[in-house]
Amino acid sequence: MAQQQQISLPAKLINGGIAGMVGVTCVFPIDLAKTRLQNQRSGQQLYKNMMDCLIKTVKSEGYFGMYRGAAVNLTLVTPEKAIKLAANDFFRHWLIKDGGRLTVFKEMFAGCCAGMCQVIVTTPMEMLKIQLQDAGRLVAQQRVMPVVSTLKIGGTSAVLSRSYNASPARVSATQITRELLRTRGVTGLYRGLGATLMRDIPFSVVYFPVFAHLHQLGQHSFEDPSVPLYWSFMSGCLAGSIAAVAVSPCDVVKTRLQSLKKGTNEETYNGVVDCVRKIMRKEGPGAFLKGAGCRALVIAPLFGIAQVVYFVGVGEFLLGYTPYGIYSA
């Protein structure tokens, strides 16, 4: 009987971190367009679609305006993707440690556990990224309908620091973090935690089993289970796009809850249920699919690239293993 596989958790963490950085760098402008489209309210639309959003962003904010919030995302996506991918591998390995068969239910459970682990980093990362990505939309809206913006936290209105209100387009992640910690403590960075869990757990439950089965189809033969890198990329893209569209309504709710600054006449929300109810009443069910196309375009190549980098085995190489040498025969 073949010995069970052993995994190197440090190597998996390195692979996941590198995979996240490469993937985010490639698709970040589309993610920015997704955030701005999701935050648009009916009757106050500045952007018609993804391309219109990107073109207007470049015209008003320059080329690097498309990468607003990329620094904080690149900083935190390393541990986020490392935790997500490595945790899934760890739980899958743990579930078959006694030589049992990895059923679909066990695959879904492993994905669920991975999704729960990643929100430790995902929630503050998304919180800061959304403020930076949406700043340009608020400035553009103020040109048309000037308004004094305020920050709603926990149902209480509080004006942000002078630097944040004076130039919202140039606010930094450090300024937002400092203000949140001053007014709300660490919990301020975890605003929207429930909505993030509501998005990331179902995403992982869908993504990892779908990817595993698609990836298995690319094996050369039963005797040679290796898979070409292009097949890993395609499997990651397809599984990612399916999972992204499936949880898009949860992503809209999360984005709305985590947007601290509101534009003219934009609703504030007191939790997930209140957010869902107000969106449904004022914008209709179609609002829950805002940015779904952009999200699929972000997640598909992001996870395609991430899985390729992950399977290349940079972490194993750096730690002195060959990519497949970590497994016992």
Side-chain angles (χ1 to χ4, degrees):
M1 182 181 293
Q3 297 176 11
Q4 66 182 65
Q5 292 181 328
Q6 303 295 320
I7 64 170
S8 168
L9 193 56
K12 295 299 183 184
L13 290 171
I14 293 172
N15 289 338
I18 295 172
M21 292 182 69
V22 173
V24 165
T25 302
C26 295
V27 302
F28 193 83
I30 306 175
D31 187 56
L32 179 136
K34 181 221 49 146
T35 297
R36 294 188 177 184
L37 288 171
Q38 286 182 337
N39 267 329
Q40 286 191 141
R41 272 50 165 189
S42 298
Q44 298 178 331
Q45 294 185 340
L46 295 171
Y47 313 112
K48 298 175 182 177
N49 49 47
M50 181 188 73
M51 286 306 300
D52 182 55
C53 179
L54 292 176
I55 291 170
K56 287 180 178 176
T57 298
V58 172
K59 285 182 177 179
S60 62
E61 303 170 53
Y63 174 78
F64 290 106
M66 294 191 298
Y67 284 89
R68 188 177 300 280
V72 66
N73 210 35
L74 285 170
T75 301
L76 294 178
V77 78
T78 302
E80 189 259 344
K81 280 292 179 289
I83 292 170
K84 185 186 190 82
L85 296 173
N88 179 68
D89 270 4
F90 173 81
F91 286 114
R92 287 172 69 93
H93 176 73
W94 179 73
L95 288 169
I96 57 172
K97 63 181 180 180
D98 295 325
R101 179 171 168 268
L102 193 64
T103 63
V104 173
F105 177 78
K106 287 182 177 180
E107 290 180 328
M108 294 172 69
F109 180 72
C112 174
C113 293
M116 291 179 67
C117 291
Q118 77 172 86
V119 296
I120 297 170
V121 177
T122 303
T123 306
M125 177 184 76
E126 292 276 317
M127 182 74 178
L128 297 174
K129 183 193 73 171
I130 286 171
Q131 314 318 312
L132 297 170
Q133 287 183 329
D134 203 39
R137 181 187 69 87
L138 293 171
V139 170
Q141 189 185 73
Q142 287 174 9
R143 292 194 189 107
V144 180
M145 304 173 69
V147 66
V148 176
S149 299
T150 58
L151 172 65
K152 290 272 189 176
I153 301 180
T156 304
S157 178
V159 180
L160 277 175
S161 61
R162 233 184 1 261
S163 57
Y164 192 36
N165 275 324
S167 183
R170 296 182 181 180
V171 65
S172 69
T174 304
Q175 289 173 303
I176 299 171
T177 303
R178 190 184 303 122
E179 188 64 26
L180 283 169
L181 291 174
R182 185 181 68 81
T183 57
R184 292 287 292 175
V186 176
T187 57
L189 291 172
Y190 283 86
R191 179 185 172 94
L193 174 62
T196 305
L197 282 166
M198 192 173 70
R199 180 198 68 172
D200 287 350
I201 291 177
F203 179 91
S204 296
V205 166
V206 173
Y207 172 78
F208 285 112
V210 172
F211 172 78
H213 286 273
L214 289 173
H215 196 248
Q216 194 174 31
L217 294 175
Q219 292 180 351
H220 289 110
S221 65
F222 183 77
E223 294 78 16
D224 180 14
S226 62
V227 177
L229 289 180
Y230 78 85
W231 190 266
S232 297
F233 176 78
M234 289 170 54
S235 299
C237 286
L238 184 55
S241 60
I242 292 171
V245 174
V247 302
S248 187
C250 302
D251 191 55
V252 171
V253 173
K254 182 197 70 67
T255 300
R256 295 285 182 92
L257 286 173
Q258 290 187 319
S259 296
L260 300 178
K261 286 180 71 66
K262 305 295 182 182
T264 309
N265 301 321
E266 291 183 352
E267 288 279 359
T268 56
Y269 308 107
N270 297 314
V272 173
V273 176
D274 181 57
C275 182
V276 171
R277 185 169 56 244
K278 287 179 177 177
I279 292 174
M280 180 68 75
R281 185 177 71 247
K282 297 198 172 185
E283 302 175 59
F288 290 104
L289 292 177
K290 282 184 176 180
C294 287
R295 180 163 167 76
L297 287 174
V298 169
I299 296 298
L302 174 61
F303 275 85
I305 293 167
Q307 292 291 177
V308 169
V309 175
Y310 192 68
F311 281 117
V312 164
V314 178
E316 285 85 352
F317 175 78
L318 292 175
L319 295 178
Y321 304 114
T322 61
Y324 300 101
I326 191 64
Y327 300 124
S328 57

